Amino acid sequence: MSMIRAVVLRLLAVVMVVAAPGLAAPAALSAAAPPTAWEPGPASYDVVVTDDIPITMRDGRVLRGAVHAPADPATGQAAPGPFPVILVQTPYGKTIDGQVSEYLIRRGYIFLTVDVGGTGGSEGQSQLFGQVEAEDGAELVEYAADLPHSNGKVGATGFSYLGIDQVFTAAEVGPGSPLKAIFPVFTAADPYRDLFVSGGVVNMESSLGLIASYFGLRTFSPLLERRNDPLDALRLVLEHGLAAIPFELTTGLNVLFQQGRVHDSEYWQERAPQRVLKKVVDNGVAAYLVGGQYDVFQRGEPLLYSGLQNAAAGRPVTAPMLPDQDPTSKYQLLWGPWDHGNQGEGIDLERIKLAWFDQWLKGIDTGILDVDKPFQVLEADGTTYRMGSFPSESAQVKRLHLSPGAKLTASPLPGANQAIFFKGISLACNQAINQWAAGALRAFVQFCTSAPLLQGLLDILQPGDAVYDTAPLTSPMRLSGPLSLTLKATSNRPETMFVTEVYDVAPNGTQRLVTGGAQLGSQRAIDPQRSWAAGGDWIMPYHPLTETATSPVPTGATTRYDIEIRSSFYTVPAGHRLRLKVKSGDTPHLLPPPMKLLDLLGGVYGIQSSSTLNLTVAN
């Protein structure tokens, strides 16, 4: 059974497609703990489980849940409490290990875990964060508050899909709800831009993993969740499997033919947690977010923080925070050197979670609110610091020019344009491969990224890319927010595809991917109302990525591309170099759209030295 669980957990990671390079565990991250002398209480209880509980919803659908409750160690019976209840909504099957915290249960918390509609043992059709799922969440909060031995206060936790559901539930409950606090780990702000596409280029690695794994888990998990009723299990297998037609099949065909869901639309906007953040704040629900430097939702997690802080301050949720904005500790973000599969490695995340819920659900002053800068960054070497704003209030924009001679320079240098060629594939071995592949390639990526000779050989075997380096840094450079590439280039074809990668290069030549982005040329249009400006450039460009915003690339003319590069919180040490690579593919992450190949083939792009890499750098 342990082997089966391990395989299933690996598949779960693939579902939202994740993971990142094998960074070393942080050396010392004790600063992530609450800042007072508060200590967790003892593990006073055992755990008693009631499984396969039918929960009849407002429309007659039956969802299936399980209750993990504190038990009297002497009798094994449920302890009288009363206790707060933690709600977990999962599409992966409620009996899968890792979704319930015995650490919290043994310290006086009830867990209610429910298969979301259309998954596991629950009836209905999978919504993938649709409105029905949000309404189910609000109804489940009331159900949780009324459980036996409940004190009437509810929290919610979980990672990835489970984190996204928390945000939508917190927005749907309304003011005065029993839901007081959530703890979303690795959560998207905009799944379309955070996961599905990068600058209009479809993330094939993640999308194929999502389509295959989510379909498999959703369809066959009833065999486990309803194992005591084989006939009902088979009914649910058929019901859940048919959901592939409106979701997986439709999405796959749209990607193949470059239509429908391949573009941004109401379908995706309904599923963007960023749009409901004001409701979360209006409902008074506190949120502690956890994000990762190499998480699949790397782009979105800081935007959730700034959106919640702005909503609390009466500002637009999609705007950058002001440098002098006074943040509230009711909304916090803990950012670490993690991927989607190793969240919280190197720290006691359960202790932090307990402090958060003890504060909001038990009224205990744990000190977790005693911070004036609620955005905490933990780096892989143990360095930790805090920010109040996103972008950081202590940061400024630094521009580096893409100069001849493969140089990144503070001022432009004269010389010929740098030519790159469309290939659509790449041989590079870097953390991006693993970031979007559920950690399955972690060991391989660790090996090849620690071998400079192998990296050099791979670069030689794939000519036609552009590489730009700074001189060795005389002092550390702390990246502390959004990045972008203002690329000015010519093309001989009516479509272009650019993939950007930013590296930290050690003196011995070892290079570590810091972050990246991409842009499909026909989707280069900018929405100035949603883009973040800095000194005449877009430091966080926002592309509509709609079908109507599509425009062919003018051949032979200089065209400007504002390429979003995922926000990063990473210190490049003194003596290292910062490297920018501009490529035309990222196998298997970003592959050329099949219907665009004829417009892409034979492409030659001339990059001008007036192009700039724009960095948010803390002082």
Side-chain angles (χ1 to χ4, degrees), residues 532-606:
W532 294 8
D537 282 319
W538 302 115
I539 190 63
M540 185 182 283
Y542 184 92
H543 303 276
L545 303 181
T546 60
E547 187 170 7
T548 57
T550 304
S551 176
V553 173
T555 57
T558 298
T559 303
R560 173 171 169 161
Y561 305 90
D562 295 280
I563 303 176
E564 180 184 3
I565 300 176
R566 291 181 296 278
S567 293
S568 185
F569 304 89
Y570 183 101
T571 301
V572 183
H576 289 219
R577 291 172 287 145
L578 190 72
R579 171 171 293 171
L580 170 71
K581 287 186 181 180
V582 183
K583 312 190 303 183
S584 60
D586 184 23
T587 310
H589 173 208
L590 301 171
L591 299 177
M595 300 300 290
K596 297 280 189 176
L597 273 177
L598 290 179
D599 289 338
L600 285 164
L601 288 174
V604 180
Y605 313 144

Side-chain angles (χ1 to χ4, degrees), residues 309-387:
Q309 290 289 352
N310 278 342
R315 302 187 65 249
V317 297
T318 58
M321 293 177 67
L322 301 174
D324 60 350
Q325 189 168 328
D326 186 21
T328 170
S329 58
K330 191 173 184 176
Y331 304 105
Q332 301 191 31
L333 171 59
L334 174 62
W335 177 279
W338 306 309
D339 61 54
H340 206 72
N342 68 349
Q343 64 270 17
E345 185 176 81
I347 66 171
D348 191 346
L349 193 59
E350 290 294 273
R351 184 176 187 271
I352 298 171
K353 189 183 300 181
L354 179 67
W356 187 249
F357 286 133
D358 272 4
Q359 181 79 46
W360 292 103
L361 305 184
K362 291 187 176 181
I364 300 171
D365 182 5
T366 65
I368 199 164
L369 300 181
D370 298 340
V371 293
D372 57 357
K373 294 184 177 182
F375 188 155
Q376 184 174 13
V377 177
L378 310 175
E379 297 204 24
D381 64 357
T383 300
T384 181
Y385 56 92
R386 287 185 173 273
M387 307 183 302

Side-chain angles (χ1 to χ4, degrees), residues 42 82 136 308 348 438 478 510 566 580:
D136 286 350
L308 288 166
D348 191 346
R478 176 172 290 172
T510 301
R566 291 181 296 278
L580 170 71

Side-chain angles (χ1 to χ4, degrees), residues 15-41:
V15 167
M16 291 311 292
V17 183
V18 292
L23 289 175
L29 301 184
S30 59
T36 70
W38 171 87
E39 291 292 337

Side-chain angles (χ1 to χ4, degrees), residues 72-369:
D72 186 328
T75 65
Q77 300 299 310
F83 305 111
V85 181
I86 305 298
L87 172 65
V88 176
Q89 301 170 78
T90 177
Y92 304 143
K94 60 186 175 297
T95 61
I96 297 299
D97 288 346
Q99 302 179 73
V100 172
S101 171
E102 285 199 5
Y103 182 91
L104 267 68
I105 298 170
R106 294 181 185 279
R107 288 164 176 80
Y109 284 86
I110 300 170
F111 267 71
L112 170 64
T113 308
V114 181
D115 295 328
V116 299
T119 72
S122 293
E123 296 177 338
Q125 180 171 309
S126 173
Q127 291 289 307
L128 194 72
F129 322 125
Q131 179 59 26
V132 171
E133 202 162 299
E135 293 171 1
D136 286 350
E139 193 167 350
L140 290 170
V141 166
E142 298 294 334
Y143 179 90
D146 291 336
L147 283 174
H149 313 302
S150 166
N151 73 353
K153 293 184 178 181
V154 178
T157 191
F159 79 101
S160 191
Y161 191 118
L162 290 68
I164 294 172
D165 264 349
Q166 290 175 63
V167 178
F168 283 123
T169 295
E172 191 67 27
V173 291
S177 164
L179 183 65
K180 305 302 180 186
I182 60 177
F183 199 97
V185 179
F186 293 178
T187 303
D190 180 349
Y192 175 74
R193 288 170 174 78
D194 296 351
L195 176 70
F196 189 62
V197 305
S198 183
V201 185
V202 174
N203 175 356
M204 294 299 294
E205 187 177 2
S206 297
S207 298
L208 290 175
L210 171 66
I211 287 173
S213 301
Y214 184 62
F215 168 76
L217 287 165
R218 185 188 68 239
T219 301
F220 297 109
S221 56
L223 299 176
L224 175 62
E225 299 301 334
R226 296 290 289 142
R227 57 190 176 278
N228 295 327
D229 191 338
L231 289 179
D232 192 51
L234 291 175
R235 175 182 70 88
L236 291 174
V237 165
L238 178 62
E239 183 178 282
H240 296 353
L242 289 175
I245 297 174
F247 177 48
E248 286 93 352
L249 179 61
T250 299
T251 303
L253 291 174
N254 286 172
V255 170
L256 179 63
F257 294 107
Q258 206 68 14
Q259 62 184 16
R261 291 176 192 169
V262 80
H263 301 291
D264 200 5
S265 62
E266 289 184 6
Y267 175 88
W268 289 112
Q269 289 304 309
E270 180 184 353
R271 289 157 174 79
Q274 191 176 34
R275 72 174 177 84
V276 301
L277 296 181
K278 185 177 185 301
K279 289 184 177 180
V280 174
V281 172
D282 289 347
N283 291 340
V285 181
Y288 193 106
L289 310 163
V290 178
Q293 172 67 30
Y294 296 102
D295 182 35
V296 67
F297 297 136
Q298 174 192 353
R299 174 188 179 274
E301 289 147 354
L303 293 173
L304 291 175
Y305 172 79
S306 60
L308 288 166
Q309 290 289 352
N310 278 342
R315 302 187 65 249
V317 297
T318 58
M321 293 177 67
L322 301 174
D324 60 350
Q325 189 168 328
D326 186 21
T328 170
S329 58
K330 191 173 184 176
Y331 304 105
Q332 301 191 31
L333 171 59
L334 174 62
W335 177 279
W338 306 309
D339 61 54
H340 206 72
N342 68 349
Q343 64 270 17
E345 185 176 81
I347 66 171
D348 191 346
L349 193 59
E350 290 294 273
R351 184 176 187 271
I352 298 171
K353 189 183 300 181
L354 179 67
W356 187 249
F357 286 133
D358 272 4
Q359 181 79 46
W360 292 103
L361 305 184
K362 291 187 176 181
I364 300 171
D365 182 5
T366 65
I368 199 164
L369 300 181

Side-chain angles (χ1 to χ4, degrees), residues 488-562:
K488 298 176 183 178
T490 59
S491 172
N492 65 337
R493 301 295 296 151
E495 183 63 279
T496 57
M497 177 176 165
F498 295 102
V499 176
T500 62
E501 297 170 342
V502 177
Y503 289 86
D504 167 10
V505 184
N508 68 355
T510 301
Q511 57 183 10
R512 182 182 298 280
L513 182 69
V514 176
T515 187
Q519 187 62 54
L520 192 65
S522 58
Q523 292 287 351
R524 66 192 181 279
I526 289 286
D527 180 349
Q529 301 301 315
R530 291 288 301 272
S531 298
W532 294 8
D537 282 319
W538 302 115
I539 190 63
M540 185 182 283
Y542 184 92
H543 303 276
L545 303 181
T546 60
E547 187 170 7
T548 57
T550 304
S551 176
V553 173
T555 57
T558 298
T559 303
R560 173 171 169 161
Y561 305 90
D562 295 280

